[in-house]
């Protein structure tokens, strides 16, 4: 399976709530760089390890955001580097405000697994009342 197909399947699994399937496509020691402005992020947003990402990011999304979903516009396939361009949608619980925020994900793949994730997202659109 090509890297792009692996990532597309991962996003589909995320949308369907199949987090175990998502985690299985990540290297155990994945390096995750989340935007520091995201509500659930502590410190500089850098996390190492898929279980740490699950606990510190994915499991916390429902604490801060209702109806979170990702609207994918396109993928840019660079082989071992793939970029997802899209939007985050949901309602920020602290303000009750719905948002539609631009987001990109840059993935680095190695041996069919995601080894690095870098997020760029318009956090101001999410958290401002």
């Amino acid at each position: 399976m090509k890297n792009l197909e692996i990532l597309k399947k991962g996003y589909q699994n995320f949308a369907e709530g199949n987090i175990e399937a998502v985690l299985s496509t990540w290297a155990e020691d994945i390096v995750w760089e989340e935007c520091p402005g995201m509500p659930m992020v502590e410190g500089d947003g850098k996390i190492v390890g898929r279980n740490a990402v699950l606990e510190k990011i994915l499991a916390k999304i429902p604490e801060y955001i209702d109806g979170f979903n990702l609207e994918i516009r396109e993928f840019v396939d660079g082989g071992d580097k793939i970029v997802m361009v899209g939007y985050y949608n949901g309602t920020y619980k602290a303000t009750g405000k719905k948002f539609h925020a631009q987001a990109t994900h840059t993935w680095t793949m190695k041996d069919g697994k995601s080894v690095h994730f870098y997020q760029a997202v318009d956090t101001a659109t999410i958290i401002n009342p």
Side-chain angles (χ1 to χ4, degrees), residues 5-129:
E5 293 169 349
I6 293 167
L7 282 179
K8 284 182 175 181
K9 184 65 175 168
Y11 280 107
Q12 179 183 345
N13 285 325
F14 181 82
E16 295 170 354
N18 188 349
I19 301 305
E20 287 301 316
V22 172
L23 296 176
S24 73
T25 66
W26 299 351
E28 193 162 321
D29 61 348
I30 189 171
V31 176
W32 190 273
E33 293 187 70
E34 187 89 9
C35 282
M38 289 296 285
M40 69 286 290
V41 174
E42 298 175 9
D44 66 0
K46 188 173 183 178
I47 301 165
V48 177
R50 66 178 171 212
N51 289 332
V53 174
L54 175 62
E55 294 169 12
K56 294 180 179 183
I57 301 297
L58 300 183
K60 290 186 176 184
I61 292 172
E63 293 177 31
Y64 294 91
I65 300 170
D66 279 330
F68 179 82
N69 69 79
L70 181 61
E71 178 185 327
I72 298 170
R73 290 294 173 108
E74 69 177 312
F75 288 95
V76 180
D77 186 356
D80 289 340
K81 289 262 190 203
I82 299 172
V83 176
M84 183 288 304
V85 178
Y87 292 89
Y88 288 173
N89 299 299
T91 302
Y92 184 44
K93 287 183 175 184
T95 63
K97 179 187 171 200
K98 291 185 179 193
F99 61 84
H100 180 71
Q102 293 177 332
T104 62
H105 297 162
T106 302
W107 296 90
T108 304
M109 306 292 290
K110 183 176 180 185
D111 299 326
K113 297 277 187 183
S114 299
V115 296
H116 187 261
F117 168 88
Y118 181 87
Q119 174 199 58
V121 63
D122 180 3
T123 57
T125 298
I126 296 171
I127 63 174
N128 285 335

